[in-house]
Amino acid sequence: MAAGAVWSVDPRTGKEREQVAVEATGAEVDQAVRAAHAARGALADRAVRAALLRAAADRLDGARAHLVEAADAETALGPVRLDGELTRTTSQLRIFAALVEEGAFLGVCIDHPDPAATPPVPDLRSMRVPLGVVAVYAAGNFPFAFSVPGGDTASALAAGCPVVVKAHPDHPATSEFTLALLRRAAADTGVPPEVFGLVHGFDAGVALISHPFLAAAGFTGSVRGGRALFDAAAARPVPIPFHGELGSLNPVLVTPGAAAERAGEVAEGLAASVTLGTGQFCVKPGLVLVPAGEDGDRLVTALTAAVSDTEAGVLLDARIRDAFLAGVTERAALDGVESPVTPGAAGEHTVAAGFLTVAAPRLAAAGPHDLLLEECFGPVTVLARYDGPAEAEALLARLPGNLTATLHLSAAEERGEGGAAALLERLTRLAGRVVVGGWPTGVAVADAQHHGGPYPAATSSATSVGTAAVERWLRPVAYQTTPQALLPPELRDGNPLGLPRRVDGRAEHGA
């Protein structure tokens, strides 16, 4: 595996800024994974894990100005957006620290012997234990929240798992700086720095998924790249869990009643959601079902004005820009597709937002228009004009799994009238998160959050955002007729650690 130079590139100019590192060799990937594996015992104590997570948040907050500057230089996402993303990231680390201290995520369950049961129940005690070393494949569009210090790393550490991150090539300098801060946090809490590993390079990512000491992987990126790694994880002599977020169209359905009541409001919200971050969000609305007729026309007119007022933006790198330009050109050339606002190049390194329209029946059967049902990364969306419920259903029936699905209703429909409940149930089949009356961009870190969905949105039923993300890196173990002295403290009588537990079918609250 040949090593090459890793450069930090300014997407606003296309020029190389500095050489950051070299691509990891196979031997270096092996060293990083083995070192993380050897250090996993340092994360066994939940108090240590909580302290490490908080120390990491403090270190990141303490270097905020430098981090935001470094990330902006490599991503062109802007200081305001990046400052907010960093706040989300450090808050997430502290949320997981609190989760670790509470301990409910361990799922402790105790059934005392019941010889009178049919069949008899022996002494059984179960809890979740960490899997081991986790590979994190960083995303390019979130240099903090889905990268080195992001949700996969935070949730893996909360579970007690060391991480080895495959850095994203769009922000290598930010990744190295962040790694240094995380390792300082490890030193602050007496944890070996090897619980955090970082490798660069495409080949390093391939070698990482195959390493025999790797226990699981988290990925955020393209369908093509994620599926290749998912297949590799399954093809190992010992397959491992691969939690991938791959791609999503994030459909929106606007009912005729919603278009009649608030076409302008819907259009303004849609324009803001599609163009946020120059359209580089995994939950960007990529397909919008809009009613045909006068009310739909008013929505299209309002959307034209809103999108036309959007300033041109810079995409994360030249490869993404080229793919965006090629993608919108190919889509706009399809029969029956119109461009009220033409997306495309606005300068040597910038792109202009836009949207396309097409009659929904053109998407109801397989053919060249299937391209419109594929995600196009960047500031563009497709409006499919439908005439009646049958045309809407025919299109919905062709959609794959998604991260989100959004429904805009009239006031009466929001009160449950006119079949709104059936529409909500229909969209529930398509996505992991259903939004009513809002927009999918913006993913809150919360207990009830689910960021995933049916394939190809994700390769598992797990979430990558929210406290439930910790469950990806744990496995349950049951102990049967095990002497008290040999049981983990979490499972001993008397609840010495004061954990929330379920004992003989009843909840037992911790101290």
Side-chain angles (χ1 to χ4, degrees):
M1 180 166 124
V6 176
W7 287 87
S8 172
V9 177
D10 182 349
R12 293 182 174 97
T13 65
K15 295 181 179 179
E16 294 176 339
R17 299 175 59 249
E18 60 176 325
Q19 181 178 341
V20 174
V22 294
E23 295 178 347
T25 64
E28 289 168 335
V29 172
D30 178 66
Q31 181 182 11
V33 177
R34 288 182 181 275
H37 180 75
R40 69 193 187 284
L43 299 176
D45 188 322
R46 287 187 300 116
V48 170
R49 301 206 299 268
L52 175 59
L53 288 161
R54 289 198 176 95
D58 291 344
R59 282 287 184 178
L60 293 170
D61 276 336
R64 178 174 294 268
H66 190 174
L67 279 169
V68 169
E69 180 182 9
D72 182 51
E74 292 187 300
T75 67
L77 289 172
V80 174
R81 146 72 197 274
L82 290 167
D83 186 73
E85 183 186 333
L86 183 56
T87 296
R88 166 192 168 147
T89 303
T90 57
S91 174
Q92 184 169 245
L93 288 162
R94 295 184 177 104
I95 287 171
F96 276 109
L99 182 85
V100 169
E101 289 176 330
E102 183 217 25
F105 74 100
L106 296 171
V108 176
C109 188
I110 297 174
D111 286 313
H112 289 107
D114 185 359
T118 305
V121 176
D123 187 284
L124 285 171
R125 300 162 188 247
S126 65
M127 63 180 289
R128 296 175 181 142
V129 299
L131 291 175
V133 181
V134 170
V136 173
Y137 290 82
N141 56 338
F142 283 89
F144 302 129
F146 284 86
S147 191
V148 177
D152 285 347
T153 295
S155 58
L157 290 175
C161 298
V163 297
V164 177
V165 181
K166 190 285 185 182
H168 197 281
D170 280 349
H171 51 263
T174 306
S175 298
E176 286 287 345
F177 181 43
T178 305
L179 175 71
L181 292 169
L182 295 182
R183 287 189 159 180
R184 288 175 197 164
D188 295 340
T189 50
V191 174
E194 291 81 10
V195 298
F196 300 106
L198 183 69
V199 296
H200 296 268
F202 177 86
D203 290 341
V206 175
L208 182 58
I209 199 67
S210 302
H211 197 285
F213 283 0
L214 194 71
F219 171 90
T220 303
S222 68
V223 173
R224 180 179 178 184
R227 183 55 192 258
L229 290 170
F230 174 74
D231 290 346
R236 292 164 43 112
V238 179
I240 59 173
F242 182 88
H243 300 287
E245 179 197 318
L246 308 189
S248 185
L249 198 59
N250 305 302
V252 177
L253 174 61
V254 181
T255 68
E261 289 183 0
R262 49 193 182 89
E265 177 188 335
V266 171
E268 289 181 5
L270 175 60
S273 189
V274 168
T275 61
L276 184 66
T278 323
Q280 298 173 112
F281 277 71
C282 55
V283 290
K284 178 202 75 176
L287 177 70
V288 186
L289 282 69
V290 174
E294 183 178 337
D295 294 325
D297 291 343
R298 288 195 301 112
L299 194 155
V300 172
T301 299
L303 183 63
T304 299
V307 173
S308 297
D309 288 342
T310 304
E311 294 184 2
V314 178
L315 296 179
L316 291 166
D317 61 39
R319 176 185 57 82
I320 290 173
R321 183 176 184 272
D322 290 345
F324 171 75
L325 296 178
V328 296
T329 298
E330 188 176 3
R331 286 165 172 79
L334 293 169
D335 286 344
V337 174
E338 297 180 356
S339 304
V341 181
T342 302
E348 186 178 359
H349 300 287
T350 57
V351 297
F355 69 97
L356 310 174
T357 64
V358 66
R362 288 186 178 270
L363 305 177
H369 289 80
D370 284 357
L371 183 63
L372 299 173
L373 303 182
E374 298 178 10
E375 180 183 15
C376 186
F377 197 67
V380 65
T381 193
V382 175
L383 267 60
R385 304 293 299 274
Y386 69 93
D387 187 4
E391 287 191 3
E393 171 55 31
L395 176 49
L396 291 174
R398 298 210 61 227
L399 298 185
N402 290 271
L403 294 170
T404 72
T406 298
L407 184 59
H408 281 272
L409 303 168
S410 68
E413 288 167 333
E414 288 182 351
R415 294 192 297 268
E417 301 174 18
L423 287 175
L424 186 67
E425 189 279 330
R426 183 65 186 86
L427 294 187
T428 298
R429 297 182 228 163
L430 293 176
R433 177 164 59 105
V434 181
V435 180
V436 179
W439 298 100
T441 39
V443 185
V445 180
D447 292 339
Q449 185 60 270
H450 185 84
H451 190 62
Y455 186 86
T459 60
S460 73
S461 60
T463 180
S464 61
V465 179
T467 54
V470 71
E471 297 172 8
R472 297 174 296 168
W473 322 120
L474 298 162
R475 66 180 180 89
V477 177
Y479 296 86
Q480 182 171 328
T481 59
T482 304
Q484 287 283 313
L486 301 182
L487 283 170
E490 292 88 348
L491 299 177
R492 293 177 188 170
D493 288 341
N495 201 358
L497 301 183
L499 293 170
R501 311 195 302 185
R502 189 166 184 81
V503 180
D504 296 329
R506 294 185 177 183
E508 178 183 279
H509 299 289

